[in-house]
């Protein structure tokens, strides 16, 4: 951007008829070096390579954008009375009527239709709680109590059976609340577990150390799908006949096991980055192991591991969609189920786009928040 | 070691979660005790089992379970559905998580024996077929020598295809595409001459995804047998009988012209077979350990087989399937119920 400023001051070969009358007048640069046209010349066509790139990109945009706008907006079929799948197919554009017809199935899965205000309320509580918790001023012990209370409220809302709410089995939970519950509960439980695992792996106690190393390497050595399969397909066979453990619970435990192994290694990275002097200083102050860890080591280690932690969080949030293979209707699998209605077949693009937007909203929030938090916590030693 | 720990934690949590319904003895007693049939279905297969916009399960496989519930409880809603992936389905049945597996499962010898399943009568005769563009001018699968064939990998579909061409001494070039959506798109984009998949799905793929459905024809040959039906566990003969005869009752009802619309008049019929079926001449329900109204309830609440078929996959739906082999034996189909007496 800085280039074109110098161009404006360039004394061009201007042939002005007014030269003699206004000798002191500023000589104007050539028209081509001025304004938007000048900017384009200076930045987009300044070398033959950039010119080719510019033309290529313009050509691509010409090829992509008009059909996309046509599909997304101009030819699209919005919701309306009596808009059918046939009308959608005839239009050649996006079928937003499909999303209108199916958004409740996609967002809430098989949750009873009349009771769907309950998952909505649960989502709002979770999102609100995440919002409150992201503010550092609220990082007080009472926040834990708020979380515990919220967990109870969400449990009551989702299950019901009390306060006049009809009971809803958790096999009927689905869509966005299921995705949020699986990932939030997964991370909330896995995070402390992973801190213990990371500390254990760096411990001097041989048994603790080898247990932690075995756990981490074992879980990290297998794909998440395998863990979920073990939890849902193999595990029931070990149980006595007739005893069944809730499918959702099995999946949740599988996800926790998996997330904790990955997070443990991220946190161990942070622990290793703390200079040895910090440990020695804490020791010389006479702090016990747990005091040292809690007050000196972890605060520093966690704050430097924010980028990889959030990376893992985001990855984990999306990984929950793998529960599709064990027949749970999370956001992703509910959208696939919506596509199997014989009356509304073939609207894959609309369905996936809708789900992608929801996932993106959450992941983008996490990413932005982590950047802000990094800034907050690194004030002391930012360069 | 780890499993035991997980099991211990899991059991403790399961109790906390209120899950873990322990049940012993024959399935029927357990089912009657809990008051509903637990039915394993596909997570989503159009026309067979799919949730509608309100999240209610619909489809042919779903209706089979509803028929069993109607026979046992006189209530077609006394059924809970467990959506299952292909990998989970047998474990779910073996471990007792579900009572009936009604998930477009092909009846084969090994599944019937070594997997410990009992297959109730076939509710849908499927088979693998071919679809070609009309412009190709092919009228029979025997003319497909040298064709490029779009197929999904890792399925029996791919194996059947290879078997068929080898048996006929013909060559083919497979275009193997993993995703169902993409293999459909590839065929209609002209990547291959022939598309092969289950015949039941082909007509609906054609009607919903082809720019002009009339440009494509489905060849008459079916190259594999896929009898799909509900399955139960070995060793619960009483329950197996009920599932079996619930399906037969719906077929018999169609043969006798009894539908959900006229069942109340048919109860007064003078035909002895109809009287036995609908319980106006008692005995059949008792033999099954059910209410004498069992078959009446199936027809009244779910419908006869023809109604179930037409409602879910018939020509009026987007799947547009003809009865074909799924017609009554009296119409040249394979649906044949043994005498109910």
């Amino acid at each position: 951007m800085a280039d074109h400023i110098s161009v404006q001051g360039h004394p061009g070969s201007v042939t002005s008829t007014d030269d003699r009358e206004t000798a002191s007048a500023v000589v104007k640069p050539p028209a081509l070096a001025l304004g938007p046209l000048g900017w384009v010349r200076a930045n987009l066509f300044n070398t033959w390579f950039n010119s080719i790139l510019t033309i290529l990109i313009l050509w691509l945009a010409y090829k992509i954008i008009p059909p996309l706008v046509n599909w997304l907006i101009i030819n699209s079929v919005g919701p309306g009375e009596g808009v059918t799948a046939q009308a959608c197919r005839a239009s050649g554009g996006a079928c937003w009527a499909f999303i209108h017809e199916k958004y409740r199935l996609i967002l809430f899965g098989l949750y009873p239709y009349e009771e769907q205000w309950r998952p909505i309320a649960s989502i709002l509580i979770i999102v609100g709680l995440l919002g409150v918790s992201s503010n550092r001023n609220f990082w007080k012990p009472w926040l834990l109590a708020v979380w515990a209370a919220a967990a109870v409220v969400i449990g009551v809302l989702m299950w019901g059976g009390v306060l006049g709410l009809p009971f809803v089995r958790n096999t009927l939970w689905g869509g966005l609340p299921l995705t949020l519950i699986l990932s939030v509960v997964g991370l909330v439980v896995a995070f402390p577990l992973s801190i213990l695992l990371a500390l254990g792996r760096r411990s001097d106690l041989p048994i603790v150390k080898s247990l932690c190393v075995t756990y981490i390497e074992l879980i990290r050595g297998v794909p998440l799908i395998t863990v979920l399969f073990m939890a849902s397909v193999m595990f029931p066979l070990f149980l006595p006949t007739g005893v069944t453990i809730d499918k959702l619970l099995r999946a949740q435990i599988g996800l926790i096991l998996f997330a904790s192994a990955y997070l443990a290694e991220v946190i161990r990275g942070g622990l290793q980055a703390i200079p040895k002097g910090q440990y020695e200083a804490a020791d010389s102050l006479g702090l016990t192991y747990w005091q040292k860890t809690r007050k000196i080591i972890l605060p520093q280690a966690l704050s430097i591991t924010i980028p990889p932690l959030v990376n893992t969080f985001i990855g984990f949030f999306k990984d929950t969609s793998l529960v599709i293979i064990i027949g749970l209707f999370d956001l992703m699998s509910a959208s696939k189920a919506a596509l199997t209605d014989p009356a509304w077949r073939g609207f894959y693009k609309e369905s996936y786009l809708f789900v992608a937007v929801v996932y993106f909203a959450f992941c983008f929030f996490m990413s932005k928040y982590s950047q802000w938090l990094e800034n907050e916590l690194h004030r002391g030693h930012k360069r | 070691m780890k499993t035991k720990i997980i099991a211990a934690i899991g059991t403790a949590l399961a109790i906390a979660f209120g899950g873990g319904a322990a049940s012993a003895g024959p399935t029927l007693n357990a089912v009657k005790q809990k008051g509903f049939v637990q039915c394993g279905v596909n997570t989503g297969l159009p026309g067979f089992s799919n949730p509608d916009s309100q999240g209610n399960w619909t489809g042919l496989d779903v209706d089979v379970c509803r028929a069993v519930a109607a026979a046992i409880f006189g209530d077609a809603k006394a059924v809970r559905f467990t959506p299952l992936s292909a990998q989970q389905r047998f474990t779910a049945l073996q471990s007792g998580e579900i009572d009936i597996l009604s998930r477009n499962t092909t009846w084969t010898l090994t599944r019937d024996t070594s997997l410990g399943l009992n297959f109730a009568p076939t509710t849908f005769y499927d088979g693998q077929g071919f679809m070609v563009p009309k412009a190709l001018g092919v009228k029979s699968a025997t003319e497909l020598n040298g064709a490029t064939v779009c197929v999904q990998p890792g399925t029996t579909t791919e194996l059947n295809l290879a078997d068929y061409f080898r048996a006929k001494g013909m060559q083919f070039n497979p275009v193997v595409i993993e995703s169902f959506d993409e293999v459909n798109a590839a065929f209609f984009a002209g990547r291959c001459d022939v598309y092969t998949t289950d015949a039941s799905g082909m007509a609906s793929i054609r009607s919903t995804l082809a720019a002009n459905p009339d440009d494509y024809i489905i060849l008459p040959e079916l190259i594999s047998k896929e009898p799909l039906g509900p399955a139960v566990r070995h060793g619960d003969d009483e329950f197996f009988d009920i599932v079996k005869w619930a399906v037969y009752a719906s077929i018999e009802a169609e043969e006798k012209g009894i539908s959900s619309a006229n069942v109340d008049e048919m109860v007064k019929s003078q035909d002895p077979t109809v009287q036995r079926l609908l319980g106006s001449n008692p005995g059949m329900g008792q033999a099954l350990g059910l209410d004498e109204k069992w078959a009446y309830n199936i027809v009244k609440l779910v419908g006869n087989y023809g109604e179930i078929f037409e409602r879910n996959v018939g020509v009026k739906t987007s799947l547009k399937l003809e009865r074909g082999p799924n017609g009554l034996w009296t119409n040249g189909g394979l649906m044949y119920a043994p005498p109910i007496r």
Side-chain angles (χ1 to χ4, degrees), chain A residues 23 216 323 330 338:
Chain A
I216 290 171
V323 297
D330 77 312

Side-chain angles (χ1 to χ4, degrees), chain B:
Chain B
M1 172 65 191
K2 211 183 91 231
T3 340
K4 274 187 183 161
I5 297 171
I6 301 169
I9 297 170
T11 318
L13 283 170
I15 292 162
F17 268 57
S23 60
T27 309
L28 181 59
N29 285 342
V31 166
K32 278 184 171 164
Q33 208 171 3
K34 61 188 176 183
F36 59 89
V37 179
Q38 190 81 46
C39 176
V41 295
N42 196 310
T43 48
L45 183 67
F48 289 85
S49 62
N50 62 273
D52 67 9
S53 301
Q54 274 85 47
N56 302 310
W57 286 97
T58 60
L60 192 139
D61 283 346
V62 166
D63 281 346
V64 169
C65 288
R66 294 200 194 279
V68 174
I72 298 175
F73 299 106
D75 176 7
K77 292 198 177 74
V79 51
R80 291 183 183 173
F81 295 99
T82 304
L84 296 169
S85 63
Q87 296 87 350
Q88 282 178 296
R89 54 182 164 180
F90 298 122
T91 317
L93 187 59
Q94 287 155 349
S95 68
E97 195 179 326
I98 56 173
D99 304 315
I100 310 175
L101 178 67
S102 185
R103 191 200 173 279
N104 58 299
T105 303
T106 306
W107 182 358
T108 67
L109 185 143
T110 45
R111 285 175 179 174
D112 204 345
T113 53
S114 54
L115 277 183
L117 310 183
N118 273 336
F119 280 87
T122 302
T123 50
F124 189 87
Y125 290 95
D126 207 344
Q128 185 177 338
F130 295 108
M131 175 156 54
V132 296
K134 202 173 258 174
L136 213 59
V138 172
K139 292 277 173 286
S140 154
T142 53
E143 301 166 30
L144 291 177
N145 197 5
T148 51
V149 185
C150 274
V151 65
Q152 273 181 285
T155 55
T156 47
T157 313
E158 193 187 11
L159 303 174
N160 291 335
L161 174 71
D163 283 355
Y164 179 79
F165 275 80
R166 188 174 308 143
K168 296 276 177 199
M170 300 192 296
Q171 299 292 318
F172 73 102
N173 304 310
V175 176
V176 179
I177 299 172
E178 177 77 41
S179 143
F180 180 68
D181 310 344
E182 281 168 27
V183 73
N184 291 336
F187 173 68
F188 290 113
R191 282 271 305 279
C192 25
D193 307 324
V194 188
Y195 179 32
T196 182
T197 187
D198 286 343
S200 62
M202 204 117 74
S204 71
I205 291 168
R206 179 176 63 173
S207 68
T208 54
L209 299 179
N212 182 4
D214 295 334
D215 288 346
Y216 299 89
I217 56 168
I218 295 171
L219 300 178
E221 286 90 352
L222 292 183
I223 63 167
S224 72
K225 291 186 284 189
E226 310 280 349
L228 312 177
V232 297
R233 270 184 301 281
H234 265 178
D236 281 309
D237 291 356
E238 218 184 353
F239 188 65
F240 178 42
D241 285 343
I242 291 173
V243 176
K244 195 159 58 178
W245 287 98
V247 175
Y248 283 143
S250 69
I251 297 172
E252 180 77 1
E254 189 190 3
E255 193 183 329
K256 293 290 166 197
I258 311 167
S259 68
S260 54
N262 70 2
V263 65
D264 287 313
E265 280 116 65
M266 293 302 271
V267 173
K268 300 171 201 125
S269 164
Q270 294 306 307
D271 184 344
T273 46
V274 174
Q275 288 184 336
R276 273 195 298 273
L277 180 66
L278 295 182
S280 32
N281 186 359
M284 299 302 115
Q286 195 198 0
L288 284 168
L290 296 175
D291 187 84
E292 293 296 345
K293 285 277 187 194
W294 66 283
Y296 169 87
N297 286 332
I298 292 175
V299 179
K300 180 76 184 167
L301 301 172
V302 186
N304 67 34
Y305 180 76
E307 289 178 83
I308 295 174
F309 187 96
E310 294 300 341
R311 176 168 68 223
N312 293 308
V313 297
V315 285
K316 291 211 177 68
T317 68
S318 78
L319 277 82
K320 293 188 174 48
L321 295 185
E322 301 284 343
R323 285 299 286 274
N326 295 301
L328 291 175
W329 65 287
T330 48
N331 299 334
L334 294 168
M335 288 298 163
Y336 181 101
I340 294 182
R341 67 183 306 144

Side-chain angles (χ1 to χ4, degrees), chain A residues 89 101-102 105 110 113 169 229 233 237-238 242 244-245 247 249-250 325-327 329 337 340-342 345 348 352, chain B residues 3 10 13-14 20-21 43-44 46-47 50-51 53-55 57 80 82-83 85 87-88 91 97 181 204 208 318-319:
Chain A
R89 283 191 197 102
E101 172 76 19
K102 294 290 181 190
L105 181 66
L110 301 176
Y113 200 68
R169 287 165 287 126
F229 259 132
V233 180
L237 295 176
F238 298 134
T244 53
I245 291 183
K247 189 154 79 171
L249 182 63
R250 277 184 267 152
I325 57 148
I326 56 171
F329 281 116
T340 60
D341 186 339
R345 294 195 63 197
Y348 302 102
Y352 291 147
Chain B
T3 340
L13 283 170
T43 48
N50 62 273
S53 301
Q54 274 85 47
W57 286 97
R80 291 183 183 173
T82 304
S85 63
Q87 296 87 350
Q88 282 178 296
T91 317
E97 195 179 326
D181 310 344
S204 71
T208 54
S318 78
L319 277 82

